[in-house]
Amino acid sequence: ALPISSAQTAANTALGSVTLTKKVMADGQPLAAGTYQVRLTGEHAKPAVGQSPEAETYVEFVKGGKVVAKEVATVVTSADIASVAKWRKPMTNGVRVETLKGNDYVRVWIAKAGTHYIINLPAGA
């Protein structure tokens, strides 16, 4: 995998605005439907065996200037995205929010500066 520049992993880097059309769970807490800014925290999740240390990073969901949720995003470079994504990708610097088959998860997919951030959120009860 290609190295990820420090600019792409810097804390408080805004990734984009997302609109959730239904309640989901983020880090075990309910996250209401609505529009949120998503930004990087600068923290990385502990890598699985054989995974790059930058393979997963924490992102924050921000509403009204306040952090309301935190969740792990899978980080994939543009060079690697074709091998992992069989579905339609967002445009460069774009966002896709979609309910996955079975309505059990909502995928938030943000493409920013040559890197893809994929966040899978369980549907809220």
Side-chain angles (χ1 to χ4, degrees), residues 45-65:
K46 186 173 189 238
V49 175
Q51 222 179 20
S52 155
E54 289 87 25
E56 292 185 328
T57 190
Y58 284 98
V59 295
E60 294 171 328
F61 288 81
V62 180
K63 189 170 188 101

Side-chain angles (χ1 to χ4, degrees), residues 4-114:
I4 296 168
S5 76
S6 59
Q8 291 170 296
T9 58
N12 299 325
T13 298
L15 294 179
S17 176
V18 300
T19 299
L20 302 174
T21 58
K22 63 166 99 180
K23 184 169 88 173
V24 296
M25 301 297 285
D27 197 26
Q29 303 296 316
L31 184 60
T35 300
Y36 298 91
Q37 288 294 98
V38 178
R39 69 182 183 199
L40 295 172
T41 65
E43 300 170 52
H44 293 284
K46 186 173 189 238
V49 175
Q51 222 179 20
S52 155
E54 289 87 25
E56 292 185 328
T57 190
Y58 284 98
V59 295
E60 294 171 328
F61 288 81
V62 180
K63 189 170 188 101
K66 181 177 172 225
V67 175
V68 294
K70 191 168 148 177
E71 189 52 82
V72 173
T74 301
V75 180
V76 184
T77 63
S78 287
D80 293 337
I81 199 69
S83 64
V84 297
K86 305 298 181 225
W87 49 92
R88 206 169 91 210
K89 299 177 260 316
M91 296 184 327
T92 301
N93 295 323
V95 174
R96 275 183 65 82
V97 177
E98 55 195 353
T99 300
L100 301 182
K101 196 172 174 178
N103 294 325
D104 292 336
Y105 286 88
V106 172
R107 174 185 298 132
V108 175
W109 185 346
I110 302 170
K112 174 96 173 169

